[in-house]
Amino acid sequence: MRVLGIETSCDETGVAVYDTALGGAAGLRAQAVYSQIALHAEYGGVVPELASRDHVRKLVPLIRQTLAGAGLGVRDLDGVAYTAGPGLVGALMVGAGVARALAWALEVPALGVHHMEGHLLAPLMEDDPPEPPFVALLVSGGHTQLVAVEEIGRYRLLGETLDDAAGEAFDKTAKMMGLPYPGGPQLAALAEQGRPGVFEFPRPMTNRPGLDFSFSGLKTQVLLAWQGSDQSEQTRADIARGFEDAVVDTLAIKCRRALEAAGTGTLVVAGGVGANRQLRARLHEMAAGLGGRACFPRPELCTDNGAMIAFAGALRLAAGQRDGAGAQVVPRWDMATLPPLAA
Ligand code: KG4
Ligand code: ZN
């Protein structure tokens, strides 16, 4: 089954074609992402109205480009998947409208996909994919969650952030230290120049049991350290390193606990912060120490993309799931309410 995937939940327009007959990494026939970073940079964050308008401009040309890259025409598609939530409603509606119109015209099924399920399943597109049961760490700009996956489609929340998401903490901390939007990847690059141990920050909520997170206090600690410092380039890098070490350490401690609680050695990591080099190295090491392994998608499939939506949509469409007449997009959506893959 060849499925077109469309992602428009935030500030990236993503399109891809996934072919279930080929499977694995080969199944990803083509993908393209258009990032709106330049558009939002002058506002220091995503402006929802501008995001929606830009998706309208970019989506159809990107679909054309992706199909050409795959050597396919629209008539070769067997289904269309799009992100139906969670995300910015106006932006989601652009993807949903195009996807459903295209599916209707082609007389193929359409399906709204959960954005975080897309992230969670992205590592399964890589070679030697993990098999459930496993624990998933979802770390993006809007979410930080630990999820027990007994089978694909059945998700049980083990823990989540009580305030800021990990990516949000990266972005806000970067902004406080004067780095341009979107700060997360820039802060991570700066941390590589920083010296470990010059600034020590707390590892929030690790000294008591439980699998929840809290990152907003850490941000305040960084602000105080930055304001009380000489604000030199080296200091900025050292603080960035101290911050990144604290986040990576905290995530690693909680992931280890979650694996032990769930009785599995397989950790799947996805979402934008999963592109972080130090986090990847640390979680590989931690999982190997438990006799298991950590599985990540390649970095460009960690951040928002159409491939993960095409893949998650293809699995569900191939299982016979499709939109009903009342399908709608939603800003919030609990993953635990998703139907299992096989009914
Ligand atoms: O999954 P994603 O692309 O979008 C959401 O669904 O939110 O994640 C974006 C988040 C941003 O907060 C960004 O700063 C963060 O992921 N991010 C990173 C890195 N690359 C992206 N954070 C730390 N290190 C990175 N290398
Ligand atoms: Zn995302």
Side-chain angles (χ1 to χ4, degrees):
M1 186 174 205
R2 293 193 197 105
V3 174
L4 181 75
I6 295 176
E7 155 63 34
T8 62
S9 68
C10 190
D11 58 348
E12 249 102 29
T13 316
V15 178
V17 179
Y18 193 85
D19 188 341
T20 55
L22 299 170
L28 183 55
R29 292 284 299 268
Q31 69 134 347
V33 175
Y34 177 83
S35 170
Q36 301 180 353
I37 285 176
L39 177 70
H40 302 292
E42 67 174 297
Y43 304 96
V46 178
V47 183
E49 177 68 18
L50 296 183
S52 307
R53 288 168 187 241
D54 207 51
H55 288 308
V56 171
R57 270 192 294 271
K58 299 297 174 3
L59 185 52
V60 171
L62 212 59
I63 292 174
R64 227 178 243 133
Q65 179 191 323
T66 307
L67 286 171
L72 299 171
V74 276
R75 299 269 159 211
D76 296 316
L77 298 173
D78 305 302
V80 185
Y82 61 93
T83 306
L88 303 171
V89 166
L92 291 166
M93 283 173 69
V94 177
V98 170
R100 286 166 62 80
L102 186 58
W104 180 77
L106 294 172
E107 298 182 306
V108 298
L111 182 68
V113 170
H114 192 295
H115 180 82
M116 298 312 291
E117 182 179 48
H119 275 304
L120 191 154
L121 298 179
L124 276 65
M125 264 185 286
E126 302 295 3
D127 292 329
D128 191 18
E131 277 179 26
F134 53 72
V135 167
L137 171 69
L138 302 177
V139 268
S140 70
H143 293 79
T144 299
Q145 297 182 325
L146 277 163
V147 179
V149 182
E150 275 106 43
E151 61 183 273
I152 293 172
R154 268 186 52 209
Y155 308 114
R156 189 164 50 87
L157 188 67
L158 298 172
E160 66 183 331
T161 184
L162 304 177
D163 41 58
D164 291 350
E168 189 180 1
F170 263 91
D171 294 335
K172 287 180 175 171
T173 302
K175 196 170 181 177
M176 275 169 359
M177 292 202 293
L179 298 175
Y181 160 87
Q186 302 213 31
L187 190 78
L190 197 60
E192 294 195 4
Q193 320 292 319
R195 296 166 294 180
V198 178
F199 287 87
E200 285 279 2
F201 297 111
R203 276 58 175 155
M205 296 181 72
T206 53
N207 57 3
R208 53 184 132 143
L211 294 169
D212 286 333
F213 303 91
S214 164
F215 291 110
S216 83
L218 182 58
K219 185 184 62 193
T220 312
Q221 299 279 329
V222 172
L223 180 63
L224 292 174
W226 174 242
Q227 285 175 340
S229 77
D230 62 3
Q231 304 199 351
S232 68
E233 277 307 306
Q234 184 60 49
T235 298
R236 187 150 69 168
D238 292 341
I239 292 179
R241 179 60 192 256
F243 167 81
E244 189 181 82
D245 284 348
V247 174
V248 167
D249 230 26
T250 303
L251 292 173
I253 291 168
K254 296 284 165 115
C255 284
R256 189 194 169 102
R257 250 183 228 175
L259 289 175
E260 285 167 350
T264 168
T266 309
L267 178 69
V268 160
V269 186
V273 184
N276 185 277
R277 294 233 295 253
Q278 211 207 140
L279 181 68
R280 293 171 84 94
R282 184 65 194 280
L283 294 180
H284 276 307
E285 195 185 309
M286 184 277 293
L290 293 178
R293 64 171 175 148
C295 307
F296 295 80
R298 68 199 89 157
E300 70 266 29
L301 296 186
C302 280
T303 47
D304 289 349
N305 63 83
M308 66 188 198
I309 303 304
F311 180 70
L315 291 183
R316 288 187 175 277
L317 283 163
Q321 297 181 21
R322 49 201 83 271
D323 273 0
Q328 53 184 353
V329 300
V330 283
R332 292 176 184 281
W333 189 358
D334 180 0
M335 264 176 88
T337 65
L338 289 173
L341 196 56

